[in-house]
Amino acid sequence: MKRIMHIFAGLCAALFVVALLLSVIRGVALNKEHYMDQYEKNGTAAVIGTDEAGLSQVTDELIRYLAAEDDVLDVQILIHGKLQPFYNQREVDHMVDVQNVMSLAHTVSLVVYGLCAACAIAWAVQRKRLGGFPAKAIPVGFGVGLVALVAIALYAYLDFSSFWTAFHHVIFTNDLWILNPMTDNLINLVPLPFFFATCMKIILWWAGLLAVFALGTFAIGHYTKPRANAHKGN
């Protein structure tokens, strides 16, 4: 039983690394301030032919859609002085796929957190029977997940264009993600530099949070470690 618990703890730790990344991706994707900051840096308003108010309206609708709070992506703003739909049908169809991916990722992360909580509760309830905190299994699990994701992060940093193309081929089963900046506003709203900055922010946030959890795990393991001489002399 003790061995099974340690294996399960290691597995949960590896999955937790992935779930944490998915949560950070969601957090950044639903952060309006990040969008507006990138719009300013990329001169997005001028490229599309609108103003900050128009971009703000589009972003509010986009975030609600990504969070699955709206079922339909439909917003009109002034573009070159004319009120018109921001998205065309191809973009709307692609965003259906994006919303589905976002919802699936959120569900997966919640399931993983549930497994981790179950593991922690099982250890707390059966602590005497299972022995000490699985201080070796958890770092191994963290390490496995970390190595895999660091490799992906390094790929993204060194050749982001290639990484981004490969990512879309893996995630999507169609070519709706291939957009034309001459006809599709979405690619001008969130061009490649936007996604590069977004990915780098995600990596930094994820690494920081992972460090916090790793230190927390180390502290728990240290302070719950059985003391061989704790009762000596009584």
Side-chain angles (χ1 to χ4, degrees), residues 27-212:
V28 174
L30 302 182
N31 185 341
K32 183 178 180 180
E33 183 178 345
H34 172 69
Y35 286 87
M36 301 307 293
D37 179 60
Q38 289 301 309
Y39 296 157
E40 183 177 356
K41 291 178 178 178
N42 295 327
T44 304
V47 173
I48 293 176
T50 188
D51 55 17
E52 185 176 341
L55 292 179
S56 179
Q57 183 180 349
V58 167
T59 305
D60 287 338
E61 174 66 21
L62 177 61
I63 289 175
R64 286 195 299 270
Y65 187 78
L66 292 176
E69 295 175 2
D70 286 347
D71 296 328
V72 179
L73 191 61
D74 183 19
V75 59
Q76 295 189 3
I77 64 169
L78 289 173
I79 300 178
H80 299 299
K82 181 180 179 182
L83 185 64
Q84 56 186 286
F86 185 80
Y87 302 102
N88 59 36
Q89 190 59 50
R90 182 181 182 86
E91 293 167 306
V92 169
D93 292 341
H94 171 56
M95 290 306 297
V96 170
D97 294 337
V98 173
Q99 186 190 64
N100 289 337
V101 170
M102 287 281 293
S103 296
L104 176 61
H106 186 49
T107 299
V108 168
S109 64
L110 293 179
V111 170
V112 171
Y113 293 143
L115 288 174
C116 292
C119 182
I121 292 171
W123 173 77
V125 173
Q126 299 291 334
R127 182 178 172 184
K128 292 183 178 180
R129 180 183 177 188
L130 296 174
F133 187 74
K136 292 183 178 179
I138 290 179
V140 169
F142 268 131
V144 171
L146 186 61
V147 168
L149 292 177
V150 165
I152 295 173
L154 188 60
Y155 176 24
Y157 181 77
L158 295 176
D159 189 354
F160 187 74
S161 180
S162 174
F163 162 79
W164 199 235
T165 299
F167 169 80
H168 280 76
H169 280 301
V170 170
I171 296 298
F172 301 112
T173 59
N174 53 55
D175 65 353
L176 293 173
W177 58 273
I178 302 176
L179 301 175
N180 182 351
M182 300 300 295
T183 58
D184 305 320
N185 288 321
L186 181 59
I187 192 62
N188 292 319
L189 183 73
V190 287
L192 200 62
F194 172 94
F195 283 113
F196 177 79
T198 300
C199 286
M200 293 305 104
K201 175 176 283 191
I202 287 169
I203 290 170
L204 290 175
W205 284 19
W206 167 73
L209 288 172
L210 187 59
V212 171

